[in-house]
């Protein structure tokens, strides 16, 4: 199918679809989204316990960070295999395998008595998430009419965006009143419920396509993405030359991967998805917003605790309303997509978030300004994330659904890792000279926050230019 036909194909598949979502499909989406939710919840809640883990296992901050970095590394390897897995194995069996793997990792974490055991648990959980995350998007693309996709992806965003908000509060309460092992114990009943719901409702989406996997290709993409994540995660602490070398290795590995996939009759991930301009530009806009939001989510707790002197629980509660509003708006925006063009919503969301970034930059020294600004910023972010994801995937022909889903999910994870790493580097880079000049610690962190935010304002300025270009691409396709 040529590059000019996906819009027609997609529209035809959605023609005549009712706005009412089939209850079975809704249960499937929630069951699959639960695994992603629990994966993110375990990560954000466990971060609250890092200081306890460092003391209990006698490790330093650089070591404990591998609980997050290792998780992202395994995701980077697991997600690109999803097109092969979706085409090769029965969908229900694939889902139940993901649940069993994730549950095994959760139980391993619950019974962990050493840091290596806890790290192994996180890596096993990442395998389960890496299978379920792109499977969820692929099922929506395969089984939902066009008009319902935005709504369903909005529900997915609501479920998964709630986890970063609840994680610190949940982790703080568990660590304060129980101990960190219970972060994992409490998750087990929800995994059982998700597995049971999916076992009853999931149907097969295979089409009898031949499924093959190239181990050299898998190795290249694993090396490339892993090097990107490692370079971003440790760019502020490792020697600059080493970081540049790792980044160069990432570029070479990913370029070699793309070349091999273009020549392969049965690619691991069909990189021809990037031949569709609407998909490529929409994905870049999504990545820029994803990196910005996660970067801000990293900076705000530091601002509240180090700059304003609030406790960790207070900081979590200040940010909770904004995250909750953002999650709710994801569903509302999903419904709006049925009646409005995706690019119209994106062109509201990008400048809106930029304005709120400027407000945070100008007034960073009061907790209530953070609370109000964040409550508005997060819903406006939903005007970009859900429409950009839905619009991008809708540009692809049906045969590329698994490849588009894997590509989008992989690069979303990558954007989040880069955004967090950039935020960390900026905060350290701006704080150190301020402290060296004799500035008080609180004032140094407030100043560093404002300086860091200017970079993310610039990031969204680029996203706005691309959003305008995306609008023109969409208008040309409609014409």
């Amino acid at each position: 199918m040529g590059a000019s036909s996906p819009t027609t194909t997609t529209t035809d598949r959605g023609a005549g679809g009712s706005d009412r979502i089939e209850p079975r499909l809704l249960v499937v989406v929630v069951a699959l989204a639960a695994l992603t939710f629990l994966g993110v919840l375990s990560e954000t809640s466990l971060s609250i316990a890092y200081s306890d883990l460092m003391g209990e296992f006698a490790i330093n901050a650089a070591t404990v960070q591998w609980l997050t970095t290792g998780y992202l590394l395994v995701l980077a390897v697991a997600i690109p295999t999803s097109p092969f897995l979706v085409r090769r194995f029965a969908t229900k069996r694939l889902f139940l395998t993901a649940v069993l793997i994730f549950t095994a990792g959760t139980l391993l974490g619950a019974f962990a008595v050493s840091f290596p055991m806890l790290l192994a648990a996180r890596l096993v959980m990442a395998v389960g998430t890496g299978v379920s995350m792109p499977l969820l998007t692929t099922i929506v693309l395969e089984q939902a009419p066009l008009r319902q996709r935005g709504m369903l992806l909005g529900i997915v965003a609501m479920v998964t965006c709630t986890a970063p908000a609840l994680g610190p509060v949940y982790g703080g309460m568990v660590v304060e009143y129980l101990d960190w092992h219970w972060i994992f114990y409490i998750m087990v009943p929800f995994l059982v419920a998700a597995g049971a719901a999916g076992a009853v409702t999931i149907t097969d989406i295979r089409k009898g396509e031949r499924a093959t996997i190239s181990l050299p290709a898998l190795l290249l993409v694993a090396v490339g993405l892993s090097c990107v994540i490692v370079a971003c995660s440790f760019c502020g602490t490792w020697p600059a030359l080493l970081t540049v070398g790792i980044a160069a290795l990432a570029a070479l590995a990913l370029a070699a991967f793309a070349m091999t996939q273009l020549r392969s009759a049965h690619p691991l991930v069909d990189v021809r998805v990037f031949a569709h301009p609407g998909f490529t530009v929409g994905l870049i806009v999504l990545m820029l917003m994803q990196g910005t939001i996660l970067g801000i989510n990293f900076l705000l707790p530091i601002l509240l605790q180090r700059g304003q002197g609030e406790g960790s629980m207070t900081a979590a509660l200040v940010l909770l309303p904004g995250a909750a509003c953002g999650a709710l708006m994801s569903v509302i925006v999903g419904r709006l997509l049925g009646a409005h063009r995706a690019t119209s919503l994106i062109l509201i969301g990008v400048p809106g978030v930029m304005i709120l970034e400027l407000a945070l930059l100008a007034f960073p020294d009061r907790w209530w300004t953070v609370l109000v600004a964040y409550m508005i910023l997060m819903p406006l972010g939903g005007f970009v994330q859900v429409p950009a994801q839905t619009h991008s995937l809708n540009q692809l022909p049906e045969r590329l659904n698994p490849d588009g889903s894997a590509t989008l999910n992989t690069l979303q994870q990558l954007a989040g890792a880069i955004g967090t790493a950039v935020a960390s580097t900026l905060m350290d880079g701006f704080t150190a000279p301020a402290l060296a000049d004799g500035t008080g610690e609180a004032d140094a962190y407030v100043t560093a926050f404002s300086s860091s935010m200017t970079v993310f304002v610039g990031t969204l300025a680029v996203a706005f230019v691309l959003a305008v270009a995306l609008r023109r691409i969409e208008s040309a396709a409609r014409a």
Side-chain angles (χ1 to χ4, degrees), residues 180-202:
W180 62 266
H181 293 86
W182 281 91
I183 290 174
F184 298 97
Y185 282 124
I186 294 172
M187 292 166 56
V188 173
F190 295 97
L191 286 168
V192 172
V200 173
T201 56
I202 289 178

Side-chain angles (χ1 to χ4, degrees), residues 293 296 353 356-357 360 372-382:
I293 293 294
I296 293 172
V353 174
L356 270 299
E357 285 181 323
L360 286 169
V372 173
Y374 194 64
M375 282 184 65
I376 304 172
L377 184 150
M378 288 302 288
L380 285 171

Side-chain angles (χ1 to χ4, degrees), residues 206-243:
R206 291 180 299 174
K207 297 181 173 64
E209 300 171 271
R210 181 184 175 188
T212 60
I213 188 166
S214 167
L215 293 181
L218 180 59
L219 179 62
L220 284 172
V221 74
V223 169
L225 295 177
S226 297
C227 286
V228 171
I229 292 172
V230 169
C232 292
S233 297
F234 298 101
C235 61
T237 56
W238 287 1
L241 187 60
L242 177 59
T243 303

Side-chain angles (χ1 to χ4, degrees), residues 17-299:
S18 169
D19 287 337
R20 183 175 179 274
I21 298 174
E22 181 187 357
R24 179 200 62 79
L25 183 57
L26 184 60
V27 173
V28 170
V29 168
V30 172
L32 276 159
L35 265 69
T36 302
F37 171 84
L38 293 172
V40 177
L41 182 71
S42 64
E43 178 181 345
T44 54
S45 58
L46 198 60
S47 64
I48 295 295
Y50 275 4
S51 60
D52 291 353
L53 295 171
M54 290 166 64
E56 180 174 338
F57 297 135
I59 56 177
N60 57 26
T63 301
V64 79
Q65 183 181 353
W66 280 98
L67 291 174
T68 296
T69 304
Y71 184 85
L72 291 173
L73 286 174
V74 174
L75 274 182
V77 177
I79 292 177
T81 65
S82 62
F84 164 76
L85 296 175
V86 167
R87 292 178 175 120
R88 173 65 178 82
F89 298 103
T91 309
K92 184 179 295 186
R93 180 183 300 175
L94 198 57
F95 166 75
L96 292 176
T97 300
V99 172
L100 289 174
I101 293 173
F102 194 96
T103 303
T106 303
L107 291 173
L108 185 62
F111 293 109
V113 294
S114 66
F115 180 75
M117 189 174 177
L118 179 59
L119 178 59
R122 292 293 296 148
L123 300 183
V124 173
M125 293 169 74
V127 174
T129 305
V131 174
S132 66
M133 186 185 297
L135 179 62
L136 168 58
T137 311
T138 304
I139 286 178
V140 171
L141 293 175
E142 294 289 342
Q143 298 191 342
L146 184 64
R147 289 177 59 85
Q148 295 179 0
R149 289 182 183 176
M151 179 62 177
L152 286 169
L153 292 175
I155 292 172
V156 173
M158 180 191 71
V159 173
T160 54
C161 289
T162 303
L166 293 181
V169 179
Y170 168 65
M173 293 180 65
V174 170
V175 170
E176 183 170 349
Y177 296 110
L178 298 167
D179 75 43
W180 62 266
H181 293 86
W182 281 91
I183 290 174
F184 298 97
Y185 282 124
I186 294 172
M187 292 166 56
V188 173
F190 295 97
L191 286 168
V192 172
V200 173
T201 56
I202 289 178
T203 57
D204 202 359
I205 60 173
R206 291 180 299 174
K207 297 181 173 64
E209 300 171 271
R210 181 184 175 188
T212 60
I213 188 166
S214 167
L215 293 181
L218 180 59
L219 179 62
L220 284 172
V221 74
V223 169
L225 295 177
S226 297
C227 286
V228 171
I229 292 172
V230 169
C232 292
S233 297
F234 298 101
C235 61
T237 56
W238 287 1
L241 187 60
L242 177 59
T243 303
V244 171
I246 293 173
L249 178 59
L252 289 172
L254 292 175
F257 171 75
M259 291 176 61
T260 59
Q261 298 310 284
L262 287 171
R263 296 171 181 172
S264 174
H266 302 284
L268 179 67
V269 176
D270 195 337
V271 295
R272 292 176 184 85
V273 293
F274 293 110
H276 301 268
F279 174 83
T280 303
V281 178
L283 178 55
I284 296 173
V285 172
L286 176 63
M287 290 177 66
L288 292 173
M289 180 58 73
Q290 180 85 352
T292 296
I293 293 294
L294 290 185
I296 293 172
N297 285 347
F298 176 86
L299 292 172

